[in-house]
Amino acid sequence: MEDNEEAKPLAEIPEKVKRPRTEKQIEAFKKAQENRAKNILLKKEQGKKALEEKILQKALSIKKKQINKQYDLAVLDQISDDETPIEEIKQKHRDITPPPVRSLPQTIQTPIQQTKKTFTFL
């Protein structure tokens, strides 16, 4: 290449002429737009349903906790009328409320690879 050559200005570069779309391409594009709009609405509805389910589950768990607290308080009120020692009260409370079940974390056991010692004698 020579230094005297200059790049052509952008105005001189001819633009490519785009071919017009065919009827089938136009119909396919319209169909794709309709399907996209339907899918967007479906995802919004599914998101709303999932959110409602999550809220409902949370409300149920809160209600269960309230019922358990009220039950515990009612049992403690019945016991507090007597002159029973605290150890018996604690034991009755343990009998009524089972301990929470905790799952053990899964441990990943990897095989131990032994390395062979190599000796080189001179």
Side-chain angles (χ1 to χ4, degrees):
M1 288 211 227
E2 296 179 11
D3 293 333
N4 296 339
E5 254 183 70
E6 293 182 15
K8 292 183 179 181
L10 292 177
E12 293 180 14
I13 297 175
E15 292 185 23
K16 290 185 179 181
V17 178
K18 294 183 180 180
R19 291 189 305 177
R21 292 183 183 173
T22 62
E23 287 296 319
K24 286 187 177 181
Q25 287 175 332
I26 294 171
E27 290 173 12
F29 185 69
K30 287 180 183 177
K31 186 177 177 182
Q33 283 180 330
E34 291 172 2
N35 285 339
R36 183 173 183 262
K38 287 179 186 177
N39 288 339
I40 289 172
L41 289 175
L42 286 174
K43 284 184 181 181
K44 284 183 182 179
E45 290 175 6
Q46 289 175 351
K48 288 179 183 178
K49 287 180 183 178
L51 182 62
E52 288 174 0
E53 280 290 321
K54 192 174 183 181
I55 291 171
L56 183 64
Q57 292 297 326
K58 188 67 175 178
L60 288 174
S61 67
I62 291 172
K63 189 65 177 175
K64 285 180 183 178
K65 286 179 184 178
Q66 287 176 347
I67 290 171
N68 284 339
K69 284 182 182 178
Q70 289 174 354
Y71 183 73
D72 289 343
L73 291 175
V75 170
L76 289 177
D77 287 340
Q78 292 173 359
I79 296 173
S80 66
D81 294 339
D82 302 336
E83 293 295 325
T84 55
I86 294 175
E87 288 78 23
E88 289 180 25
I89 295 173
K90 288 182 180 178
Q91 183 61 36
K92 287 183 180 180
H93 180 70
R94 284 188 206 120
D95 293 341
I96 293 171
T97 57
V101 178
R102 296 182 183 172
S103 61
L104 296 174
Q106 294 181 348
T107 57
I108 301 173
Q109 294 180 353
T110 56
I112 299 172
Q113 296 179 353
Q114 295 179 352
T115 58
K116 292 184 178 180
K117 295 181 181 180
T118 56
F119 299 100
T120 52
F121 296 101
L122 301 174

